[in-house]
Amino acid sequence: MQKLLLPFLLLAVTIAFGQSKYMTKSGSMSFEASQPSFEPIEATHSAVSALLNADTGELAVLALVRGFRFPLALMEEHFNENYIESHQYPKTSFKGSILNFDSKALSNQPRTVQLTGELSMHGVTKLISVSATITQSYEQITLTSSFLVKTSDFGIKIPSLVRKQIDENVQVEVSLPLQRKQ
């Protein structure tokens, strides 16, 4: 019995230490939903959390909705109360993976990758697939992406009174500076 226990423990330790995890709590996310000729509708968030398993390419991203900052306080209030309803839906998240991820192929030269997974927002979860750029320098992997989200896909209603001012296709920008987790 003792002879079987030692190899099992060594295997368990190897698996536990073999997984390379990278994380951030200071990722950034922004969105822009402006229509030409109207006041810019845009916000930024600088406390986005993310975790990347560099062995498998699995990625999880989380942003608290109330963390988005707008140029005008009134816009922020309308966003939280009338559109995204952050009291009821406090988080937006992505859970998925980087397709064909190979951590050995990472370098300081930007490389385009495909992210696939579930984007959850406003109580709705949708499967998405978007392009991203990935680089690695020292102990940091940086992942950036820019993609469109359609408000109606997530049950976000734009009142007819302001429909001409707010674009239903929202441009989202994400930057995740992921540090090796010790």
Side-chain angles (χ1 to χ4, degrees), residues 16-173:
F17 285 105
Q19 291 189 350
S20 298
K21 303 265 197 269
Y22 288 76
M23 68 175 293
T24 187
K25 291 182 182 178
S26 59
S28 64
M29 184 182 294
S30 63
F31 70 83
E32 196 262 337
S34 305
Q35 288 284 12
S37 305
F38 288 98
E39 190 169 18
I41 308 295
E42 56 193 14
T44 59
H45 194 311
S46 60
V48 176
S49 297
L51 181 64
L52 170 67
N53 182 330
D55 291 334
T56 64
E58 292 173 300
L59 177 67
V61 182
L62 175 71
L64 297 177
V65 174
R66 287 205 173 264
F68 283 100
R69 297 293 171 244
F70 289 75
L72 300 173
L74 187 59
M75 280 184 180
E76 194 167 313
E77 182 180 329
H78 286 295
F79 170 77
N80 283 300
E81 292 178 10
N82 303 333
Y83 299 103
I84 204 76
E85 301 168 289
S86 60
H87 61 282
Q88 189 173 353
Y89 309 107
K91 302 173 189 172
T92 186
S93 65
F94 172 82
K95 184 177 181 183
S97 61
I98 302 170
L99 290 181
N100 304 314
F101 184 73
D102 180 7
S103 62
K104 294 176 184 79
L106 296 177
S107 73
N108 60 357
Q109 296 300 310
R111 192 172 129 231
T112 301
V113 295
Q114 197 70 20
L115 298 176
T116 61
E118 296 178 334
L119 178 62
S120 297
M121 176 175 33
H122 197 249
V124 177
T125 299
K126 293 275 185 186
L127 226 84
I128 66 165
S129 182
V130 298
S131 292
T133 302
I134 192 166
T135 58
Q136 181 175 24
S137 59
Y138 304 107
E139 296 293 312
Q140 179 172 302
I141 293 175
T142 302
L143 188 65
T144 59
S145 185
S146 177
F147 55 94
L148 286 176
V149 172
K150 197 171 199 166
T151 56
S152 60
D153 286 348
F154 292 91
I156 301 168
K157 294 177 177 50
I158 301 172
S160 58
L161 184 64
V162 293
R163 193 166 289 138
K164 290 182 181 178
Q165 298 170 4
I166 301 172
D167 197 335
E168 184 188 22
N169 296 303
V170 179
Q171 183 68 43
V172 179
E173 308 277 335

